[in-house]
Amino acid sequence: MRRILAPSVLAADFKNLGRAVEQVDEAGAEYIHIDVMDGMFVPSISFGMPVIKSLRPCTDKVFDVHMMVEEPGRYAEDMKAAGADLLCVHQEACRHLDRTIQQIRSLGMKAGVAVNPATPVSVLDCILDQVDMILIMSVNPGFGGQKFIPYTLEKVRQVRSRLDSLGLETDIQIDGGITLDNVSQVLEAGANIIVAGSAVFGGDQEKNTRAFMEKLRIV
Ligand code: DX5
Ligand code: ZN
């Protein structure tokens, strides 16, 4: 399966956000991971549609919008208009998950479903064949720079094996605490879209992106 790096701009310097997006794009990242937080589903508040819209001219790469928002379907249309290509919603935040997935797809976006570390992957059984991506959270969502939770690796293996048994080549994204030291482990477990925030933007973002790309062997 193709392996993709999705730098999370949550860890970038917000006063130079446009430049940060351009630099990781130039260094080879294929997705830009954009963390939207509402202060309800998660404690923190990040940014929303106006910021996404103003970043859109900076790159043609995929805008992978991670909605850490209660009932994210309320914003699906606005997110599409702002420039989202892929909208990923939390299973825990959607009362009618099936409806929200259909809504995202009918707007012409790819649909992803995320689960928190303590949510068993069996909740995804009925929707596995309806989504483009499953996101396994490897930290509790809400903040960048947290430590990877090791038991989430087994959840990646479980989802990959379930997808294989259904003959599906759906993307599995992993998000939270990914570094150059543990990325090989998560790739081996079956994840193919790697989110990295502080490990990319915590230093020389271009150099870090290239180092990840090498690990993903797609340069
Ligand atoms: C956490 C966010 C992540 C975060 C990852 O709630 O969903 O995307 O930015 O940051 P790192 O890679 O620093 O854990
Ligand atoms: Zn995220």
Side-chain angles (χ1 to χ4, degrees):
M1 284 191 82
R2 67 197 179 130
R3 290 169 167 181
I4 291 171
L5 181 67
S8 164
V9 295
L10 188 67
D13 175 1
F14 280 12
K15 72 179 181 304
N16 293 310
L17 208 45
R19 187 68 201 119
V21 168
E22 286 165 4
Q23 278 189 348
V24 294
D25 170 345
E26 282 158 23
E30 289 185 57
Y31 280 24
I32 307 296
H33 186 83
I34 301 176
D35 288 303
V36 177
M37 303 179 182
D38 67 351
M40 291 293 287
F41 181 69
V42 291
S44 191
I45 297 175
S46 56
F47 44 68
M49 285 75 77
V51 172
I52 296 172
K53 192 173 168 203
S54 60
L55 288 175
R56 193 60 277 192
C58 298
T59 179
D60 291 331
K61 300 292 173 72
V62 171
F63 270 14
D64 155 30
V65 179
H66 178 191
M67 297 289 280
M68 285 164 276
V69 171
E70 290 289 350
E71 294 301 345
R74 294 177 295 150
Y75 300 106
E77 218 172 314
D78 291 345
M79 283 295 173
K80 170 72 182 172
D85 299 299
L86 189 167
L87 204 65
C88 185
V89 299
H90 271 261
Q91 182 273 335
E92 302 90 349
C94 298
R95 189 177 299 245
H96 302 290
L97 181 61
D98 183 278
R99 177 184 291 148
T100 305
I101 293 167
Q102 302 320 321
Q103 186 191 359
I104 294 168
R105 300 192 75 155
S106 70
L107 287 164
M109 291 181 284
K110 286 189 173 187
V113 174
V115 283
N116 286 334
T119 302
V121 296
S122 56
V123 298
L124 303 169
D125 277 356
C126 296
I127 52 93
L128 281 180
D129 62 349
Q130 297 173 51
V131 296
D132 301 284
M133 185 183 88
I134 297 295
L135 165 52
I136 303 294
M137 287 305 300
S138 42
V139 298
N140 290 294
F143 306 97
Q146 303 180 76
K147 206 170 164 310
F148 181 82
I149 299 174
Y151 72 72
T152 59
L153 261 186
E154 184 53 29
K155 293 174 67 182
V156 173
R157 288 190 200 104
Q158 286 170 0
V159 175
R160 183 55 75 202
S161 114
R162 183 91 184 101
L163 288 169
D164 285 349
S165 69
L166 294 169
L168 296 169
E169 288 217 342
T170 308
D171 291 322
I172 300 182
Q173 184 174 68
I174 188 144
D175 181 9
I178 304 298
T179 64
L180 285 166
D181 293 329
N182 64 15
V183 65
S184 305
Q185 250 187 310
V186 302
L187 290 167
E188 256 165 52
N192 68 306
I193 303 185
I194 306 300
V195 177
S198 35
V200 167
F201 293 105
D204 181 333
Q205 51 209 34
E206 222 174 312
K207 195 170 141 244
N208 291 337
T209 302
R210 290 191 199 285
F212 267 104
M213 298 296 287
E214 216 165 286
K215 291 261 181 190
L216 269 60
R217 278 179 270 116
I218 52 175
V219 159

